[in-house]
Amino acid sequence: MLSPEAFRDAYDDEELAEELPDSPTGSLRDLQYLYGKLYTLATTGGGEYAPYLTPDAAGDLIDTDDSLIVVRVDISGPEPRLADDHLGPVWLTRYTEGLVQQVSHCKYPAARGIDHSVTHQAGRNSDPEKLARYAKERLTKWATDGVVREAADAHEDGWIVERLAELSEDALETIEEGVKKSLGGESATALLTVQVKTESDGEYRWPGEIDVFLEAMRRRKLSKLVTKNKADDSSGDATDLVTREPSRTVGTSEDPQNYFLGKQLEKFPGLDIEEAWRSHPISEDAAVTVMNAGVFVEACTYRTFGAKVYYLPYFFGRPTPEKARDLYRVLHDAASTDDDLTPVERAYENREELFDEDYLRFYISAVMPHQMSRYDVFGETLNGQLHYPKQLAFTHNRLVENASAFATEEGDDWTAPMPTNEKWELLAGDDNRLHAVSTGWYFYQTFAGRDDTDADADDPRIQALVNVLSGEPIAVDVLLEEFVSRISSEETDDEYDGFPSFLVASQFAQLCALADGDLELLTTSDPEKEPITYEPTYDDVDTMPTVTEILATDGGHPADAKLESFIQETPALAPNSDGPSVTAERRGAFLLGALVGDIGSYQEYSEDRSTTLVDQYPVKSITRSRIKKVTQETIAKTLTYTRQEKKEGRSYPGTKADYIVDRLRETILDPDPDEWEIDTDDLRFYYALGITYGMNDHPDWDNVESDDQPDLKEEH
């Protein structure tokens, strides 16, 4: 394959423009055709027959010893005979890069049968007897094949093929002896081909120099495109969906992604295999060019969750020579670079060296293979942009590192609303975040647990991955269902110690990042859940006042100010007279969780209790019908601890955690939760978020000096 520099030198603008499609990429077939064109130009050059060659099939034989066995035949006289010059009738030589086009190999990938071209590829380490048989079959089997003979009959040089088949038995025995002798009894892995002399004073010519050989190869390969899946002849005259020109089209051609095959019923509903060309008409030459896209398609493909993710780059608009060269560089690098980067990451690394990112697009889909060659296709789109995964990675890092919901100014005396942890990937800045997003690991860490990493046909993890890569919003309902299921499973898992607050904080960070206004990757058809899809308005900690500054200005309690700020800056919780009533219900669930988390932490650390309110009221136990009772019992427990502390002399004004209790009374005890409309998953997730908040609602002991803030330590 040509290097990008050699590709640029090999084709000037005029030559390249002649080979490129004359319309923008508008379908997967258009994209595959463009890939196939670039691959063909880089391996076998331009021309009518170049797309039919398969240079990679025997690519590992190039520049290896004894890799090409050539049968040499002279048909310039009245009778065909074997060569008698210094090279002899059988020539054992080395297959080189310079011989790729001259040998013109076209592989037929079948366990039995001959290759489409007169050149044939033997199996690995074939013995001399088998190689001798293959050598003779270039004349006795290929030259007499029905499709080859039909092509020869219609060609002015068809006599060349006919003369090959007329070699005598003595000549065939000479070929057999010549092959065995040249190999010296050793096995070999080789191509077998012929050279033919047609003029008495001419040279022996390779198959690539004889048009009838190439035409016979072409017709033989095309014959297989109309008979796949037991079709007799799935072909007919129609408009080619790639070139938009009238032509003979085929309906059962191969596909680099295994789409549009006979068993792909979602692509071919109600398929009549003989009439497939009507449903999906692609011309013969275009079909072969599409097949050649395989190397580049696979280079831009990666596996995750047991599925194949296709992330195929192309440029927006009509192909031009300069854009084609840039695209070829991307594809060449993908095909020749052996690293662990996904195509998403590779495109991001090369974004400044290539064409304008605004013109870069990606075809995206994920394919889940099943038995019997059946496949499920997820989220197919041609409008994917690098912007979405890279922006999601950037936004998540910014949130957990700088947003007031997760971070505090250095030296601040009070914790942030949500906990962070350097050992939790989603709660710390991560230079490899784009890798996690592009592989789906980003969702694997927070979605419902499964037995293994392989996805099912309807697995939300793979669908969420495809959505992010393609810029399609994810349904809030799906996220909440997955989040709550994961939280509930870890609450009861003996492997985890206590409430999974870091998990909940990670899920919330994802929810905030997906709601970023520049991404808008959350959606819902339910107006009650719409506030969850809005971007939070958390301040950057570099611009926030510290707790000390807040106390100096209004004399209030830092916990009160922090809670009010968090609620107001979180659209899913913020009071809004014009908003849906469910927002107040969601806020009530959050506040109840905050009080349960706060008092539960008090019970654990001050009362040394092994079972706390957090354990007593797990997430999966919270329902609309039960939330009022849990609220009453939690407030009662709070009042009990308030009286107890006052008796012990730890007196302070008001009720313990009154900044939560006062708000809670307004949201849950009136109006009555029996009349609430909030969905269970919505209720439970924000209850879990509240618990996480409450457990993290305390002074930052590393920064608090007891002499400066005695009341803070005393209360907590």
Side-chain angles (χ1 to χ4, degrees), residues 427-487:
L427 294 178
D430 184 4
D431 293 338
N432 292 321
R433 181 84 66 210
L434 184 58
H435 181 76
V437 170
S438 60
T439 59
W441 174 246
Y442 185 71
F443 295 108
Y444 179 79
Q445 297 174 80
T446 57
F447 276 33
R450 288 166 174 82
D451 293 337
D452 54 41
T453 58
D454 286 352
D456 299 323
D458 57 351
D459 198 309
R461 296 174 300 176
I462 193 70
Q463 188 63 64
L465 168 61
V466 172
N467 280 32
V468 166
L469 294 180
S470 60
E472 290 294 321
I474 303 170
V476 165
D477 306 73
V478 172
L479 282 180
L480 295 181
E481 180 181 359
E482 290 295 306
F483 286 175
V484 170
S485 178
R486 179 67 174 268
I487 294 167

Coordinates of all heavy atoms in Angstrom, one line a residue, residues 427-487:
L427 N -14.7 10.4 39.3 CA -14.7 11.5 40.3 C -13.4 12.2 40.4 O -13.1 12.9 41.4 CB -15.1 11.0 41.7 CG -16.6 10.4 41.7 CD1 -16.9 9.9 43.1 CD2 -17.6 11.5 41.4
A428 N -12.6 12.1 39.4 CA -11.3 12.8 39.3 C -11.0 13.1 37.9 O -11.5 12.5 37.0 CB -10.2 11.9 39.9
G429 N -10.2 14.2 37.7 CA -9.8 14.5 36.3 C -9.0 13.3 35.7 O -8.2 12.7 36.4
D430 N -9.3 13.0 34.4 CA -8.7 11.9 33.8 C -8.3 12.2 32.4 O -9.1 12.6 31.5 CB -9.7 10.7 33.8 CG -9.1 9.4 33.2 OD1 -7.9 9.4 32.9 OD2 -9.9 8.5 33.1
D431 N -7.0 12.1 32.1 CA -6.5 12.4 30.8 C -6.9 11.4 29.8 O -6.9 11.7 28.6 CB -4.9 12.5 30.8 CG -4.4 13.6 31.6 OD1 -5.1 14.6 31.8 OD2 -3.2 13.6 32.1
N432 N -7.3 10.2 30.2 CA -7.8 9.2 29.3 C -9.3 9.1 29.2 O -9.9 8.1 28.9 CB -7.3 7.8 29.8 CG -5.8 7.7 29.6 OD1 -5.2 8.2 28.6 ND2 -5.1 7.1 30.6
R433 N -10.0 10.2 29.6 CA -11.5 10.2 29.6 C -12.0 9.9 28.2 O -13.1 9.2 28.1 CB -12.0 11.5 30.1 CG -13.5 11.6 30.2 CD -14.0 11.0 31.5 NE -13.6 11.8 32.6 CZ -13.4 11.4 33.8 NH1 -13.6 10.1 34.1 NH2 -13.0 12.2 34.8
L434 N -11.4 10.4 27.2 CA -11.9 10.2 25.8 C -11.9 8.7 25.5 O -12.8 8.2 24.8 CB -11.1 10.9 24.8 CG -11.6 10.8 23.3 CD1 -13.0 11.3 23.2 CD2 -10.7 11.6 22.4
H435 N -10.9 7.9 26.0 CA -10.8 6.5 25.8 C -12.0 5.8 26.5 O -12.7 4.9 25.9 CB -9.5 5.9 26.3 CG -9.4 4.5 26.1 ND1 -9.1 3.9 24.9 CD2 -9.5 3.4 27.0 CE1 -9.0 2.6 25.0 NE2 -9.3 2.3 26.2
A436 N -12.3 6.2 27.7 CA -13.4 5.7 28.4 C -14.8 5.9 27.7 O -15.6 5.1 27.6 CB -13.5 6.2 29.9
V437 N -14.9 7.2 27.2 CA -16.1 7.5 26.5 C -16.3 6.7 25.2 O -17.3 6.1 24.9 CB -16.2 9.0 26.2 CG1 -17.3 9.3 25.2 CG2 -16.3 9.8 27.4
S438 N -15.2 6.6 24.4 CA -15.3 6.0 23.1 C -15.4 4.4 23.2 O -15.9 3.8 22.3 CB -14.1 6.3 22.3 OG -12.8 5.9 22.9
T439 N -15.0 3.8 24.3 CA -15.1 2.4 24.4 C -16.4 2.0 25.2 O -16.7 0.8 25.2 CB -13.9 1.8 25.2 OG1 -13.9 2.4 26.5 CG2 -12.6 2.0 24.5
G440 N -17.1 2.9 25.7 CA -18.3 2.6 26.5 C -18.0 2.3 28.0 O -18.9 2.1 28.8
W441 N -16.7 2.3 28.3 CA -16.3 2.1 29.8 C -17.0 3.2 30.6 O -17.3 3.0 31.8 CB -14.8 2.1 29.9 CG -14.3 2.0 31.3 CD1 -13.6 2.9 31.9 CD2 -14.4 0.9 32.2 NE1 -13.3 2.5 33.2 CE2 -13.8 1.3 33.4 CE3 -15.0 -0.4 32.1 CZ2 -13.7 0.4 34.5 CZ3 -14.9 -1.2 33.3 CH2 -14.3 -0.8 34.4
Y442 N -17.2 4.3 30.0 CA -17.8 5.4 30.7 C -19.2 5.0 31.3 O -19.5 5.4 32.4 CB -17.9 6.6 29.7 CG -18.5 7.9 30.3 CD1 -17.7 8.7 31.1 CD2 -19.7 8.3 29.9 CE1 -18.2 9.9 31.5 CE2 -20.2 9.6 30.4 CZ -19.4 10.3 31.2 OH -19.9 11.5 31.6
F443 N -19.9 4.3 30.5 CA -21.2 3.8 31.0 C -21.2 2.5 31.8 O -22.1 2.2 32.6 CB -22.2 3.7 29.8 CG -22.5 5.0 29.2 CD1 -22.0 5.3 27.9 CD2 -23.2 6.0 29.8 CE1 -22.2 6.5 27.3 CE2 -23.5 7.2 29.2 CZ -22.9 7.5 27.9
Y444 N -20.2 1.7 31.4 CA -20.1 0.4 32.1 C -19.9 0.6 33.6 O -20.4 -0.2 34.5 CB -18.9 -0.4 31.6 CG -18.6 -1.7 32.3 CD1 -19.4 -2.8 31.9 CD2 -17.7 -1.8 33.2 CE1 -19.2 -4.0 32.5 CE2 -17.5 -3.1 33.9 CZ -18.2 -4.1 33.5 OH -18.0 -5.4 34.1
Q445 N -19.3 1.7 34.0 CA -19.0 2.0 35.5 C -20.3 2.4 36.2 O -20.3 2.4 37.5 CB -18.0 3.1 35.6 CG -16.6 2.7 35.0 CD -15.7 3.9 35.0 OE1 -15.0 4.2 36.0 NE2 -15.5 4.6 33.9
T446 N -21.3 2.8 35.5 CA -22.5 3.4 36.2 C -23.8 2.7 35.9 O -24.8 2.9 36.6 CB -22.6 4.9 35.9 OG1 -22.8 5.0 34.5 CG2 -21.4 5.7 36.4
F447 N -23.9 2.0 34.8 CA -25.1 1.3 34.4 C -25.3 0.1 35.2 O -24.4 -0.4 35.9 CB -25.1 1.1 32.9 CG -25.6 2.2 32.1 CD1 -25.3 3.5 32.4 CD2 -26.3 2.0 30.9 CE1 -25.8 4.6 31.7 CE2 -26.8 3.1 30.1 CZ -26.5 4.4 30.5
A448 N -26.5 -0.5 35.1 CA -26.8 -1.7 35.9 C -25.8 -2.8 35.7 O -25.3 -3.0 34.5 CB -28.2 -2.2 35.5
G449 N -25.4 -3.5 36.7 CA -24.4 -4.5 36.6 C -24.9 -5.7 35.9 O -26.0 -6.1 35.9
R450 N -24.0 -6.3 35.1 CA -24.3 -7.6 34.4 C -23.2 -8.6 34.6 O -22.1 -8.2 35.1 CB -24.5 -7.2 32.9 CG -25.8 -6.5 32.6 CD -25.8 -5.8 31.2 NE -27.1 -5.2 31.0 CZ -27.4 -4.0 31.4 NH1 -26.6 -3.3 32.1 NH2 -28.6 -3.5 31.1
D451 N -23.5 -9.8 34.2 CA -22.5 -10.9 34.5 C -21.2 -10.7 33.8 O -20.2 -11.1 34.3 CB -23.1 -12.2 34.1 CG -24.3 -12.6 35.0 OD1 -24.4 -12.1 36.1 OD2 -25.2 -13.4 34.5
D452 N -21.2 -10.1 32.6 CA -19.9 -9.9 31.9 C -20.0 -8.7 31.1 O -21.0 -7.9 31.1 CB -19.6 -11.1 31.0 CG -20.8 -11.4 30.0 OD1 -21.4 -10.5 29.5 OD2 -21.1 -12.6 29.8
T453 N -19.0 -8.4 30.3 CA -18.9 -7.1 29.6 C -19.6 -7.2 28.3 O -19.8 -6.2 27.6 CB -17.5 -6.7 29.4 OG1 -16.8 -7.7 28.7 CG2 -16.8 -6.4 30.7
D454 N -20.0 -8.4 27.8 CA -20.7 -8.5 26.5 C -22.1 -8.0 26.6 O -22.8 -8.3 27.6 CB -20.7 -10.0 26.1 CG -19.4 -10.5 25.6 OD1 -18.5 -9.6 25.5 OD2 -19.2 -11.7 25.3
A455 N -22.5 -7.3 25.6 CA -23.8 -6.7 25.6 C -24.9 -7.6 25.0 O -24.5 -8.5 24.2 CB -23.8 -5.4 24.8
D456 N -26.1 -7.5 25.5 CA -27.2 -8.2 24.9 C -27.7 -7.4 23.7 O -27.3 -6.3 23.4 CB -28.3 -8.4 25.9 CG -27.9 -9.2 27.1 OD1 -27.1 -10.1 26.9 OD2 -28.3 -8.8 28.2
A457 N -28.7 -8.0 23.0 CA -29.2 -7.3 21.8 C -29.8 -5.9 22.1 O -29.7 -5.0 21.3 CB -30.2 -8.2 21.1
D458 N -30.4 -5.8 23.3 CA -31.0 -4.6 23.7 C -30.3 -3.9 24.8 O -30.9 -3.2 25.6 CB -32.5 -4.8 24.0 CG -32.6 -5.8 25.1 OD1 -31.6 -6.5 25.5 OD2 -33.8 -6.0 25.6
D459 N -29.0 -4.1 25.0 CA -28.3 -3.6 26.1 C -28.2 -2.1 26.0 O -27.7 -1.5 25.1 CB -26.8 -4.2 26.1 CG -26.1 -4.1 27.4 OD1 -26.1 -2.9 27.9 OD2 -25.6 -5.1 27.9
P460 N -28.6 -1.4 27.1 CA -28.6 0.1 27.1 C -27.1 0.7 27.0 O -26.9 1.8 26.6 CB -29.2 0.5 28.4 CG -30.0 -0.7 28.8 CD -29.3 -1.9 28.3
R461 N -26.1 -0.1 27.5 CA -24.8 0.4 27.4 C -24.3 0.7 26.0 O -23.7 1.7 25.7 CB -23.8 -0.6 28.1 CG -24.1 -0.8 29.6 CD -23.2 -1.9 30.2 NE -23.5 -3.2 29.5 CZ -22.8 -4.3 29.8 NH1 -21.8 -4.2 30.7 NH2 -23.1 -5.4 29.2
I462 N -24.6 -0.3 25.1 CA -24.1 -0.1 23.8 C -24.9 1.0 23.1 O -24.4 1.7 22.2 CB -24.1 -1.5 23.0 CG1 -23.4 -1.4 21.7 CG2 -25.5 -1.9 22.8 CD1 -21.9 -1.2 21.8
Q463 N -26.2 1.0 23.4 CA -27.0 2.1 22.8 C -26.6 3.5 23.2 O -26.5 4.4 22.4 CB -28.5 1.9 23.1 CG -29.4 2.8 22.4 CD -29.4 2.6 20.9 OE1 -29.7 1.5 20.4 NE2 -28.9 3.6 20.1
A464 N -26.2 3.6 24.5 CA -25.8 4.9 25.0 C -24.4 5.3 24.4 O -24.2 6.5 24.1 CB -25.6 4.8 26.6
L465 N -23.6 4.3 24.2 CA -22.3 4.6 23.5 C -22.5 5.1 22.1 O -21.9 6.1 21.7 CB -21.5 3.3 23.5 CG -20.2 3.3 22.6 CD1 -19.3 4.4 23.0 CD2 -19.5 2.0 22.5
V466 N -23.4 4.4 21.3 CA -23.6 4.9 20.0 C -24.3 6.3 20.0 O -24.0 7.1 19.1 CB -24.5 3.8 19.2 CG1 -25.0 4.4 17.9 CG2 -23.8 2.5 19.1
N467 N -25.2 6.5 20.9 CA -25.8 7.8 21.0 C -24.8 8.9 21.2 O -24.8 10.0 20.5 CB -26.8 7.8 22.2 CG -28.1 7.2 21.8 OD1 -28.2 6.3 21.0 ND2 -29.2 7.7 22.4
V468 N -23.8 8.7 22.1 CA -22.8 9.7 22.4 C -21.9 9.9 21.2 O -21.6 11.1 20.8 CB -22.0 9.4 23.6 CG1 -20.7 10.2 23.7 CG2 -22.8 9.5 24.9
L469 N -21.5 8.8 20.5 CA -20.6 9.0 19.4 C -21.3 9.7 18.2 O -20.7 10.5 17.5 CB -20.2 7.6 18.9 CG -19.3 6.8 19.9 CD1 -18.9 5.4 19.2 CD2 -18.0 7.5 20.2
S470 N -22.6 9.5 18.1 CA -23.3 10.1 17.0 C -24.0 11.4 17.3 O -24.6 12.1 16.5 CB -24.4 9.1 16.5 OG -25.3 8.8 17.5
G471 N -24.0 11.8 18.6 CA -24.7 13.0 19.0 C -26.1 12.9 19.2 O -26.8 13.9 19.3
E472 N -26.7 11.7 19.3 CA -28.1 11.5 19.5 C -28.4 11.5 21.0 O -27.7 10.8 21.8 CB -28.5 10.2 18.9 CG -28.6 10.2 17.4 CD -29.6 11.1 16.8 OE1 -30.7 11.2 17.4 OE2 -29.3 11.8 15.8
P473 N -29.3 12.3 21.5 CA -29.6 12.3 22.9 C -30.0 11.0 23.5 O -30.6 10.1 22.8 CB -30.8 13.3 23.0 CG -30.7 14.1 21.8 CD -30.2 13.2 20.7
I474 N -29.7 10.8 24.8 CA -30.1 9.6 25.5 C -31.3 9.9 26.3 O -31.4 10.9 26.9 CB -28.9 9.1 26.4 CG1 -27.6 8.9 25.6 CG2 -29.3 7.9 27.2 CD1 -26.4 8.7 26.5
A475 N -32.2 9.0 26.4 CA -33.5 9.2 27.1 C -33.2 9.2 28.6 O -32.5 8.3 29.2 CB -34.5 8.1 26.8
V476 N -33.6 10.2 29.3 CA -33.5 10.3 30.8 C -34.0 9.1 31.5 O -33.4 8.6 32.4 CB -34.1 11.6 31.3 CG1 -34.3 11.6 32.8 CG2 -33.3 12.8 30.9
D477 N -35.2 8.6 31.0 CA -35.8 7.4 31.6 C -34.8 6.2 31.7 O -34.8 5.5 32.6 CB -37.0 7.0 30.9 CG -38.0 8.2 30.7 OD1 -37.7 9.1 29.9 OD2 -39.0 8.2 31.4
V478 N -34.1 6.0 30.5 CA -33.1 4.9 30.5 C -32.0 5.1 31.5 O -31.6 4.2 32.2 CB -32.5 4.8 29.1 CG1 -31.4 3.8 29.0 CG2 -33.6 4.4 28.1
L479 N -31.5 6.3 31.6 CA -30.4 6.6 32.5 C -30.9 6.3 34.0 O -30.2 5.7 34.8 CB -29.9 8.0 32.4 CG -29.0 8.4 31.2 CD1 -28.6 9.9 31.3 CD2 -27.7 7.5 31.3
L480 N -32.0 6.9 34.3 CA -32.5 6.8 35.7 C -32.7 5.3 36.1 O -32.4 4.8 37.2 CB -33.7 7.6 35.9 CG -33.6 9.1 35.8 CD1 -34.9 9.8 36.1 CD2 -32.5 9.6 36.8
E481 N -33.3 4.6 35.1 CA -33.6 3.1 35.4 C -32.3 2.4 35.6 O -32.2 1.6 36.5 CB -34.4 2.5 34.2 CG -34.7 1.1 34.4 CD -35.4 0.5 33.2 OE1 -35.7 1.2 32.2 OE2 -35.7 -0.7 33.2
E482 N -31.3 2.6 34.7 CA -30.0 2.0 34.9 C -29.3 2.4 36.2 O -28.7 1.6 36.9 CB -29.1 2.3 33.7 CG -29.6 1.6 32.4 CD -29.5 0.1 32.4 OE1 -28.4 -0.4 32.8 OE2 -30.5 -0.5 32.2
F483 N -29.3 3.7 36.5 CA -28.6 4.2 37.7 C -29.2 3.6 38.9 O -28.5 3.1 39.8 CB -28.8 5.7 37.7 CG -27.9 6.5 36.8 CD1 -28.0 7.8 36.7 CD2 -27.0 5.8 36.0 CE1 -27.2 8.6 35.8 CE2 -26.2 6.5 35.1 CZ -26.3 7.9 35.0
V484 N -30.6 3.6 39.0 CA -31.2 3.1 40.2 C -31.0 1.6 40.4 O -30.8 1.1 41.5 CB -32.7 3.4 40.2 CG1 -33.5 2.7 41.3 CG2 -32.9 4.9 40.3
S485 N -31.1 0.9 39.3 CA -30.8 -0.6 39.3 C -29.4 -0.9 39.8 O -29.2 -1.8 40.6 CB -31.0 -1.2 37.9 OG -30.8 -2.6 38.0
R486 N -28.4 -0.1 39.4 CA -27.0 -0.3 39.8 C -26.9 0.0 41.3 O -26.2 -0.7 42.1 CB -26.1 0.5 38.9 CG -24.6 0.4 39.3 CD -24.1 -0.9 39.0 NE -22.6 -1.0 39.2 CZ -21.7 -0.7 38.3 NH1 -22.1 -0.4 37.1 NH2 -20.4 -0.7 38.6
I487 N -27.5 1.1 41.7 CA -27.4 1.5 43.1 C -28.0 0.5 44.0 O -27.4 0.1 45.0 CB -28.1 2.9 43.4 CG1 -27.4 4.0 42.6 CG2 -28.2 3.2 44.9 CD1 -28.3 5.3 42.5

